[in-house]
Amino acid sequence: MILECSQCHTRYLVPDTAVGPTGRTVRCANCRHSWFQQPAGAPPVERDTSLAVSTPVAIPKPEPAPAYAGADHDYDAFAHEPPFRPRRNPARRWTIAAITAGALMLIATLALVFGNLPNFATMLGIPLGGGDTPLKFVNLKKPDRRDLPNGSELFAIGGQIRNPTAQRQSVPDIRAELRDASDRLVYSWTIKPDQRTLAPGGTMNFDSAKLDVPSSSKTVKLSFTATSPAN
């Protein structure tokens, strides 16, 4: 049945069992007005005006009870919400769950990537910006030119890479440049290191050779892909 407050006209949907067969006093949750509610289908009660005014009868007023008191305890008739609950949309809940799971996966991926940025950038062949690598070239060999039996000339270089820090470092590619007497670039190539990380204080060897490099080359300059050239 539907109850309507006579003061503020707020309406409530309650089960018939909440009022009972004899009726009961209820209170509006909105304006706190109380009234006696007749049971469903009961005719309106007419007040008897024939009683003498001088002989009033004291009728104890029952304690107002919430209109939802009864068999259905899951419904609060005086809650500040519409009397009819909206339908739940399971598809929307699944969509929200999928978006949340995707966001968590993206965060985890970014944490893995940016937690090991040098290795990731090296893997993609992207120079590392924002600062030089602390790795150093040491024990560089003197460039070796030699003629091969087939008439070609072999040009070989080599040396070591050292990690002077207390942390494991990523090893980028090495760029080798040959320059003439005027320091103009005449030939260059990239040397791939044998390993991509170097332990704290560790060293590693590197070697590379090319055939028939320009005879005008006079000096060799080596650099990491993220650093400025070093002799």
Side-chain angles (χ1 to χ4, degrees):
M1 63 184 301
I2 298 177
L3 307 184
E4 181 175 353
C5 176
S6 60
Q7 297 296 321
C8 65
H9 301 289
T10 301
R11 305 183 72 188
Y12 303 97
L13 178 64
V14 299
D16 295 345
T17 55
V19 176
T22 59
R24 70 184 308 169
T25 300
V26 294
R27 180 187 297 123
C28 177
N30 184 43
C31 68
R32 313 303 295 177
H33 171 66
S34 299
W35 73 95
F36 186 82
Q37 179 63 44
Q38 295 290 339
V45 178
E46 296 183 359
R47 302 184 63 181
D48 187 1
T49 58
S50 62
L51 294 176
V53 177
S54 59
T55 57
V57 178
I59 302 176
K61 183 178 181 180
E63 182 66 21
Y68 59 82
D72 186 4
H73 297 286
D74 294 332
Y75 178 73
D76 186 355
F78 292 120
H80 294 282
E81 60 182 19
F84 301 99
R85 295 181 180 178
R87 294 182 178 178
R88 297 178 179 176
N89 188 349
R92 181 181 179 185
R93 292 193 300 176
W94 280 110
T95 301
I96 294 175
I99 294 175
T100 303
L104 292 176
M105 292 179 62
L106 178 60
I107 292 173
T109 302
L110 292 177
L112 291 174
V113 169
F114 290 102
N116 194 14
L117 182 59
N119 287 340
F120 181 72
T122 303
M123 212 167 37
L124 295 180
I126 302 174
L128 297 177
D132 294 343
T133 176
L135 301 180
K136 303 295 183 182
F137 292 109
V138 295
N139 301 325
L140 296 179
K141 300 177 183 179
K142 182 179 180 180
D144 181 21
R145 287 181 183 267
R146 68 180 67 178
D147 294 328
L148 299 178
N150 61 2
S152 298
E153 183 185 54
L154 179 70
F155 182 84
I157 58 174
Q160 289 184 323
I161 300 172
R162 182 168 64 89
N163 177 10
T165 71
Q167 292 83 31
R168 178 175 292 274
Q169 298 292 334
S170 173
V171 182
D173 291 340
I174 303 170
R175 177 178 171 84
E177 295 182 351
L178 302 182
R179 296 179 177 267
D180 62 12
S182 301
D183 200 34
R184 290 180 301 183
L185 179 66
V186 295
Y187 190 79
S188 67
W189 72 96
T190 299
I191 303 172
K192 301 290 184 181
D194 293 335
Q195 61 191 63
R196 283 301 185 181
T197 59
L198 192 55
T203 59
M204 61 176 290
N205 297 324
F206 72 93
D207 294 282
S208 182
K210 291 291 181 179
L211 294 175
D212 299 326
V213 300
S215 58
S216 59
S217 58
K218 300 298 181 181
T219 60
V220 179
K221 291 189 176 183
L222 300 174
S223 65
F224 295 107
T225 55
T227 64
S228 56
N231 289 327

